[in-house]
Amino acid sequence: SSPKGGGQACKQYRLLFLLPPDSALPLVLKVPPSSLRPIQSFMLQLSGKGIPFYGAVLSFGLTKRQNAAKIDYSEIVPSFVSRLSPEETARMKTIHEAFKPVLSAVEIAAD
C-alpha cells in the first residue's frame, strides 16, 4: 500500500557522489524517488552531448512541485555549469575508477 499522498511505500533512493573543488573526498547527495526521473533525463542529455558525468561541473538546486494529492515537495534540478578540460576530465575519471568499487558497495540504511 502507498502512503498518503501517492508516494512509494518502499522508498527508492539513488546516491550521487559529488567532488567539490579542492576536496579529496566526495559529498553524497541522496536523490529521492521524486527527483530520479529529472536526474536520469539530465544525465542522458549530458551523455548525448558526449560529456561524461565526471567531465562536467554541475550545479544542483531545488524547485517546488505538487503531486496529484496537492502535497508540496521539492524536486532536485541539476544544471550544467561548464565542461572540464581534457586533463581535468582524465583526473576525474581516475578518481571515479578508484572510488567505484567502494561506492558501488554503499547501501542506504532505512530512515
Side-chain angles (χ1 to χ4, degrees):
S1 68
S2 292
K4 184 178 179 181
Q8 296 180 4
C10 177
K11 298 243 180 199
Q12 297 175 358
Y13 289 90
R14 181 161 201 167
L15 299 178
L16 294 181
F17 294 87
L18 311 171
L19 190 60
D22 303 323
S23 178
L25 296 173
L27 295 175
V28 179
L29 176 60
K30 186 177 173 184
V31 180
S34 60
S35 293
L36 288 176
R37 187 168 289 152
I39 294 286
Q40 290 169 339
S41 175
F42 175 79
M43 292 301 180
L44 281 173
Q45 289 174 4
L46 202 61
S47 179
K49 294 177 182 176
I51 303 171
F53 62 88
Y54 53 78
V57 176
L58 306 176
S59 174
F60 294 88
L62 294 173
T63 189
K64 187 177 177 181
R65 299 278 189 224
Q66 194 175 72
N67 67 13
K70 306 284 186 201
I71 296 174
D72 293 334
Y73 66 95
S74 293
E75 183 178 277
I76 297 172
V77 179
S79 60
F80 177 80
V81 175
S82 64
R83 191 172 191 157
L84 296 176
S85 71
E87 295 80 19
E88 291 169 321
T89 300
R91 184 175 143 265
M92 293 307 297
K93 183 177 182 181
T94 300
I95 292 170
H96 166 70
E97 293 298 326
F99 274 101
K100 194 174 182 178
V102 174
L103 301 179
S104 63
V106 173
E107 292 183 21
I108 302 173
D111 290 337

